[in-house]
Amino acid sequence: MLIDTYGRVATDLRVSLTDRCNLRCSYCMPEEGLQWLSKTTLLTDDEIVRLVRIAVTRLGITEVRFTGGEPLLRPGLVGIVERCAVLEPRPKLSLTTNGIGLKRTATALKAAGLDRVNVSLDTLRPDVFKTLTRRDRHHDVVEGLEAAREAGLTPVKVNTVLMPGLNADEAPELLAWAVEHAYELRFIEQMPLDAQHGWKRDGMITAGDILQSLRTRFELTPEGEQARGSAPAERWLVDGGPHRVGVIASVTRPFCSACDRTRLTADGQVRTCLFAREETDLRGALRSGAPDEEIARIWKLAMWGKKAGSGLDDPEFLQPQRSMSAIGG
């Protein structure tokens, strides 16, 4: 069991498969990209599967989410999913992706054992998409979403970040579109994940702003804390249901007290929080021949030291630190 000193138990593992991405979203990385990790630094497919197996069979993990960078850029992705899907007890398997490449891989991923996907899409307007991502790939994401739904990777969740002066007015339009296509839309407050450290709390689109905008067109009924559990998104029924919309208010309504996540970076480091400044090395233990029980012990010790909160209120937080691209969302 991965328990911390505050009594929280981690059952949800986020695994970053690569730090690379084929978009350059303005709230994530600079236009020129980043200095990517070397191939030898990245965990191999076998190492990823071994760590997931240890997490599932020894540490109580029941859900595994593959992230990036962009996980569809990982050549061995389908094989990794297939090998994790046969673990006992069988974990729930999901993927967070920008959707580019999903059209050609959705069917194979479903056959391999992937249960569902989260796809990032911030706008319905191709020109705004190009401005936000610095790539003209809007149609690829829309087609990827359709392919995921048709392959049965459901519920298909759409993650949206609203940015002042770009797509801040699109919330009602996005929700209407999601309802029409049977996607579950989740708005995420912009977080300080940009490698260029340009994030500012002042002027960000907050959860309150989003809900106010949505209520100009829809009736929203809160599901409540019992239905939410440890999920990061607060959810509302749209016009009485059955469709739902979620808001992840990481900045203005932090949910750290109910956090059930542990994170594995693309280069084999344990992170106890998306915003943690400390990491614990598992890659070194793997490559030095450590047995499973030793790796599990190191992982448990790392999680025991998890802090109470994310630290977003600490003025030191925004000081330069390692790029978030290999840590995963």
Side-chain angles (χ1 to χ4, degrees):
M1 181 184 297
L2 292 172
I3 189 170
D4 65 33
T5 54
Y6 298 92
R8 297 169 297 192
V9 178
T11 57
D12 184 337
L13 169 62
R14 303 298 169 100
V15 182
S16 174
L17 299 181
T18 179
D19 59 331
R20 297 175 184 267
C21 189
N22 43 12
L23 296 179
R24 296 291 182 268
C25 296
S26 58
Y27 52 78
C28 185
M29 69 173 71
E31 186 171 3
E32 64 274 16
L34 299 168
Q35 183 175 351
W36 309 121
L37 295 170
S38 67
K39 187 174 181 179
T40 57
T41 301
L42 294 172
L43 292 176
T44 66
D45 293 1
D46 287 345
E47 288 170 338
I48 290 169
V49 173
R50 183 184 175 195
L51 288 175
V52 172
R53 175 175 56 78
I54 291 170
V56 169
T57 61
R58 293 176 176 267
L59 298 174
I61 292 297
T62 59
E63 298 187 31
V64 178
R65 173 87 60 86
F66 298 108
T67 69
E70 173 45 52
L72 292 180
L73 295 179
R74 178 87 186 201
L77 173 60
V78 172
I80 290 170
V81 171
E82 190 171 34
R83 293 166 68 184
C84 292
V86 298
L87 294 172
E88 293 291 344
R90 203 274 200 194
K92 296 179 182 177
L93 300 175
S94 59
L95 179 80
T96 293
T97 172
N98 63 28
I100 297 174
L102 193 54
K103 180 180 180 180
R104 60 178 172 77
T105 55
T107 299
L109 286 168
K110 179 64 177 179
L114 192 70
D115 295 307
R116 64 170 192 83
V117 294
N118 284 23
V119 179
S120 299
L121 181 63
D122 300 321
T123 178
L124 298 178
R125 305 168 190 169
D127 59 325
V128 176
F129 182 91
K130 187 175 180 180
T131 299
L132 278 167
T133 68
R134 305 181 179 108
R135 298 290 187 272
D136 189 12
R137 305 297 297 272
H138 186 268
H139 64 286
D140 293 309
V141 181
V142 172
E143 289 179 352
L145 279 160
E146 294 170 353
R149 185 186 58 214
E150 292 170 4
L153 293 170
T154 54
V156 176
K157 296 184 179 181
V158 177
N159 294 339
T160 296
V161 176
L162 297 180
M163 301 281 288
L166 288 171
N167 60 342
D169 61 334
E170 285 195 66
E173 184 181 1
L174 280 158
L175 181 53
W177 169 82
V179 168
E180 178 185 356
H181 292 87
Y183 303 140
E184 184 175 321
L185 182 62
R186 307 192 315 168
F187 292 97
I188 304 175
E189 286 183 338
Q190 184 194 2
M191 295 177 283
L193 302 179
D194 55 322
Q196 62 270 37
H197 304 286
W199 179 85
K200 290 182 175 60
R201 185 186 295 266
D202 294 342
M204 63 172 283
I205 308 300
T206 67
D209 297 330
I210 294 165
L211 292 170
Q212 183 178 7
S213 178
L214 292 176
R215 286 184 170 121
T216 64
R217 185 166 173 180
F218 302 96
E219 178 184 346
L220 302 181
T221 306
E223 279 195 325
E225 291 300 316
Q226 185 172 358
R228 180 183 183 184
S230 60
E234 297 178 75
R235 298 200 307 180
W236 286 262
L237 295 173
V238 180
D239 292 338
H243 298 288
R244 293 171 172 81
V245 63
V247 178
I248 300 177
S250 302
V251 178
T252 62
R253 303 180 191 176
F255 40 86
C256 301
S257 62
C259 181
D260 64 350
R261 298 180 184 180
T262 183
R263 298 175 181 275
L264 184 65
T265 69
D267 54 351
Q269 311 299 305
V270 171
R271 277 214 168 198
T272 59
C273 173
L274 182 61
F275 303 107
R277 300 183 69 89
E278 303 84 17
E279 297 177 338
T280 301
D281 182 29
L282 293 185
R283 185 190 63 209
L286 280 173
R287 296 182 180 178
S288 66
D292 288 358
E293 55 266 27
E294 174 62 12
I295 292 170
R297 185 193 69 80
I298 296 170
W299 206 330
K300 286 181 180 179
L301 188 61
M303 292 304 295
W304 182 251
K306 183 173 182 174
K307 295 181 179 179
S310 64
L312 285 177
D313 292 327
D314 183 349
E316 294 296 316
F317 178 82
L318 294 180
Q319 297 304 309
Q321 58 174 311
R322 190 160 95 93
S323 165
M324 292 286 185
S325 61
I327 297 167

